[in-house]
Amino acid sequence: MTAGVSKARVLTVHTLNPRRAGHPWSARADKLQSITGLMLGGFLLLHMHFESSILLGKEVFYQVVQLLEGGMFSSTGHGFPWVTKLFSVLMLAVVCLHAALALRRFPTQLGQWRQLRAHLGSIAHKDTHAWFWQLITGFVLFFLVPVHLFTMILNPEIGPHLSAERVYHDNAWLLYGLLLPAVVVHAMIGLYRVAVKWGWVQQRAPLRKLIKALIIYLLLLGSASLLAYMVIGQGLSLPVTPFVPGGG
């Protein structure tokens, strides 16, 4: 009898031991994934609004680019393209880290996908369906985001004419047309899930409405910006001359 009690106590202690029940790296990985997700989601919000300055005219977009590239530290007022290159390298590193952490929960076998689809079809849980769409868009972004960032690393020159040339004459609109909905949906659902995961919000319904509104708003903003680049690019003749304030 005593031996049985002792054995039960040993099992209980071992079971409740966090190092035995689960590897401590799992919790750290969750936190790191959330942190990198917040960084990328915040960057997306800023990036799309900076890009949309083209809607206010070439001059405004040009000034925004010079500001972001440190033009105030240049004697000519022109920014440094290497700033864009360096920032693109850093963002690529964050994206790779975030993707590596997210792959821990990615279904890797056909049977797992079938079980997931069957599970989704049998429940009407909104957060689970949102997670599924984040999973799908994450898979798409795994291929599209590196292409975009490598483009900016290899050719960091940005401007009303140069960006329009990339979009229209280099057919980058194909990439951005796929990238826009995938990255917006993935990022906004990700921000929602981080807020819920760490208990920052108690009422999920209002947050869902806010996220849906942000998705629609960002899709419209991004589409309008992409169309503006297309219109500008269509009016440019090759070889493209960089935009100069006051020169058109």
Side-chain angles (χ1 to χ4, degrees):
M1 186 69 176
T2 305
V5 173
S6 300
K7 183 177 181 180
R9 287 177 179 172
V10 172
L11 289 175
T12 301
V13 172
H14 282 213
T15 303
L16 295 178
N17 188 328
R19 293 188 177 275
R20 297 294 184 92
H23 199 284
W25 165 244
S26 181
R28 297 194 189 106
D30 280 344
K31 291 181 180 180
L32 190 55
Q33 183 180 347
S34 295
I35 292 172
T36 54
L38 286 173
M39 291 173 60
L40 294 172
F43 169 75
L44 175 68
L45 290 171
L46 294 175
H47 177 64
M48 291 195 65
H49 285 88
F50 289 145
E51 286 289 339
S52 67
S53 62
I54 191 66
L55 299 174
L56 302 177
K58 296 181 184 180
E59 178 76 27
V60 175
F61 180 71
Y62 177 86
Q63 296 300 334
V64 169
V65 171
Q66 304 317 309
L67 176 64
L68 295 177
E69 290 188 340
M72 72 287 291
F73 301 110
S74 171
S75 59
T76 62
H78 192 278
F80 305 97
W82 62 262
V83 173
T84 297
K85 177 180 291 191
L86 177 61
F87 198 77
S88 297
V89 171
L90 293 175
M91 292 309 300
L92 181 60
V94 176
V95 167
C96 290
L97 176 59
H98 183 74
L101 294 169
L103 283 174
R104 295 175 302 132
R105 294 188 173 88
F106 200 89
T108 57
Q109 298 179 359
L110 181 60
Q112 293 175 329
W113 278 102
R114 289 174 177 172
Q115 291 177 359
L116 176 60
R117 291 297 300 167
H119 178 65
L120 290 171
S122 62
I123 63 173
H125 191 258
K126 294 181 180 179
D127 283 9
T128 303
H129 285 270
W131 172 81
F132 176 74
W133 282 110
Q134 193 184 28
L135 183 71
I136 296 299
T137 53
F139 179 77
V140 174
L141 293 176
F142 183 79
F143 298 97
L144 298 183
V145 171
V147 175
H148 172 55
L149 290 176
F150 273 120
T151 299
M152 301 311 301
I153 293 172
L154 297 175
N155 185 18
E157 293 286 345
I158 301 175
H161 289 176
L162 297 176
S163 297
E165 178 189 17
R166 183 182 295 115
V167 170
Y168 183 79
H169 290 286
D170 295 343
N171 294 315
W173 64 270
L174 292 169
L175 171 65
Y176 297 143
L178 295 174
L179 182 60
L180 176 62
V183 73
V184 167
V185 171
H186 185 84
M188 293 304 101
I189 292 179
L191 292 178
Y192 166 81
R193 295 186 65 238
V194 168
V196 171
K197 179 182 181 67
W198 299 107
W200 296 342
V201 294
Q202 301 300 325
Q203 300 295 328
R204 298 190 183 190
L207 184 58
R208 287 197 201 99
K209 292 180 181 179
L210 175 61
I211 291 300
K212 289 179 181 178
L214 278 174
I215 289 175
I216 295 173
Y217 164 69
L218 291 175
L219 287 177
L220 291 175
L221 183 68
S223 298
S225 302
L226 184 59
L227 180 60
Y229 288 116
M230 291 285 290
V231 172
I232 294 173
Q234 192 175 20
L236 297 175
S237 57
L238 298 176
V240 172
T241 303
F243 175 81
V244 178

